[in-house]
Amino acid sequence: MNDQDPGGISPLQQMVASEAGAMVTSLFMTPLDIVKCFLYCSGVLEPLYLCPNGTRCATWFQDPIRFTGILDALVKIVRHEGTRTLWSSLPATLVMIVPATGVYFTAYDQLKAFLCGQSLTSDLYTPLVAGALARMGTVTVISPLELVRTKLQAQHVSYRELATCVQASVAQGGWCSLWLGWGPTALRDVPFSTLYWFNYELVKSWLNGLRPKDQTSLGISFVAGGISGMVAATLTLPFDVVKTQRQIALGAVEAVRVKPPRVDSTWLLLRRIQAESGTRGLLAGFLPRIIKATPSCAIMISTYEFGKSFFQRLNQEQPLGH
């Protein structure tokens, strides 16, 4: 495997490449989120699925139209709601995804280069450690924004009332209340990140070994990203179920404007779900999560690698510092 040194491009260029990847991924994946929301509202999907950014489903599909699947829902949504509906939640999605992705991917590449340069870990485990640390830092930075967004979705208020929402949260529980969702989010995202980057580097290395050229192609990044995303999403699904149930509980509390009850620990929630619904409960929402994680990871990493290659070529023609 011919890993390009992240020093070949600046951190700013890494951030631009990752944020461009986030925008491209959102353009492709936002319609799928909208379709899943309509499928949830019509009862096709399990009730653990949350509609993105407070999207409200129309009532035209309830009778007599029924959805038979994702493709059928896509056609009928476009017919009745118009094409623009498929990207109705895109602005709110970009506000969260773009900065988070920029921080995350840049941190991963910088940490990976540092760990390799200092020989602190073996080449095999460097992606695992770098992925875990990068995601933990990103979750810490983004967690307050995600908590506020969840409250906005539950209360259906405008983004102009964002400051008021933050002030109310701080007044009720102090500044630490903005990080209430840090634990469940970290338990879901950090294992996902470690599994994703570990498998991505392994699969990419193996696929590169089958090619005569040293440079990683866009297709190899796409395939390796998709496979790694699918594996990571499957293995971390129980934590995603817990995170979603917490969001649903928070939404119900915020909707009636009452003080939130004491929050159970993640492990207690896992045991409760296991006791009430068995293993099937811990794997609720498997298909929607896989359908989203596989293509989104494939599109994101291949776009990111393309962006990095672009800047590397640009820097070769015009060295950094000029």
Side-chain angles (χ1 to χ4, degrees):
M1 180 170 73
N2 184 25
D3 279 330
Q4 304 239 4
D5 184 357
I9 63 175
S10 69
L12 178 60
Q13 290 174 329
Q14 291 172 352
M15 189 166 290
V16 171
S18 58
E19 290 178 345
M23 287 188 281
V24 171
T25 304
S26 297
L27 283 172
F28 279 98
M29 301 308 299
T30 297
L32 179 60
D33 277 336
I34 298 298
V35 170
K36 289 197 296 183
C37 177
F38 275 85
L39 290 173
Y40 159 65
C41 291
S42 64
V44 176
L45 287 184
E46 298 169 78
L48 276 180
Y49 180 74
L50 286 179
C51 294
N53 307 307
T55 302
R56 300 182 188 181
C57 296
T59 57
W60 53 261
F61 61 84
Q62 293 179 355
D63 190 16
I65 299 176
R66 298 294 180 189
F67 296 140
T68 59
I70 292 178
L71 185 59
D72 180 59
L74 178 65
V75 172
K76 290 175 179 175
I77 291 169
V78 171
R79 181 187 306 160
H80 290 268
E81 297 283 328
T83 306
R84 292 181 60 183
T85 300
L86 297 176
W87 285 274
S88 59
S89 65
L90 182 60
T93 299
L94 291 177
V95 167
M96 285 292 300
I97 296 298
V98 171
T101 304
V103 171
Y104 173 47
F105 276 76
T106 303
Y108 170 76
D109 268 343
Q110 292 295 315
L111 285 166
K112 180 184 172 187
F114 173 78
L115 292 171
C116 289
Q118 300 295 321
S119 299
L120 297 177
T121 60
S122 66
D123 291 342
L124 179 64
Y125 296 110
T126 293
L128 189 149
V129 177
L133 293 175
R135 176 54 75 180
M136 194 174 298
T138 304
V139 169
T140 303
V141 173
I142 300 299
S143 187
L145 296 178
E146 185 170 352
L147 181 66
V148 169
R149 184 183 67 167
T150 301
K151 292 188 175 186
L152 289 174
Q153 289 178 215
Q155 297 175 9
H156 299 295
V157 297
S158 67
Y159 283 93
R160 293 181 180 180
E161 299 177 273
L162 181 61
T164 303
C165 184
V166 173
Q167 290 174 358
S169 296
V170 173
Q172 186 178 37
W175 286 104
C176 291
S177 65
L178 296 179
W179 280 269
L180 282 177
W182 186 91
T185 302
L187 278 174
R188 179 194 64 182
D189 291 355
V190 173
F192 181 96
S193 182
T194 58
L195 290 167
Y196 172 77
W197 287 112
F198 180 75
N199 286 298
Y200 172 72
E201 299 292 356
L202 280 180
V203 174
K204 186 176 73 169
S205 177
W206 178 72
L207 291 175
N208 273 332
L210 303 178
R211 302 178 69 247
K213 297 181 180 179
D214 291 331
Q215 188 176 7
T216 300
S217 72
L218 196 66
I220 284 180
S221 296
F222 187 89
V223 173
I227 293 174
S228 305
M230 180 175 64
V231 171
T234 301
L235 296 179
T236 59
L237 183 58
F239 295 115
D240 187 57
V241 172
V242 169
K243 178 69 165 62
T244 305
Q245 286 207 348
R246 285 184 185 276
Q247 287 181 311
I248 292 174
L250 177 61
V253 166
E254 292 293 335
V256 296
R257 308 291 206 280
V258 298
K259 186 176 180 179
R262 185 181 63 85
V263 179
D264 291 330
S265 69
T266 298
W267 302 112
L268 186 59
L269 279 173
L270 284 171
R271 289 168 56 189
R272 181 183 300 171
I273 294 171
Q274 171 73 28
E276 293 177 354
S277 306
T279 304
R280 183 175 181 180
L282 295 175
L283 300 178
F286 169 77
L287 190 58
R289 181 161 163 81
I290 296 303
I291 289 175
K292 180 177 181 179
T294 303
S296 64
C297 287
I299 295 170
M300 177 62 221
I301 193 63
S302 56
T303 308
Y304 178 54
E305 295 284 7
F306 175 82
K308 289 199 299 183
S309 297
F310 168 79
F311 283 119
Q312 286 164 355
R313 291 193 300 268
L314 185 68
N315 293 338
Q316 288 173 359
E317 298 173 2
Q318 182 178 358
L320 289 171
H322 288 67

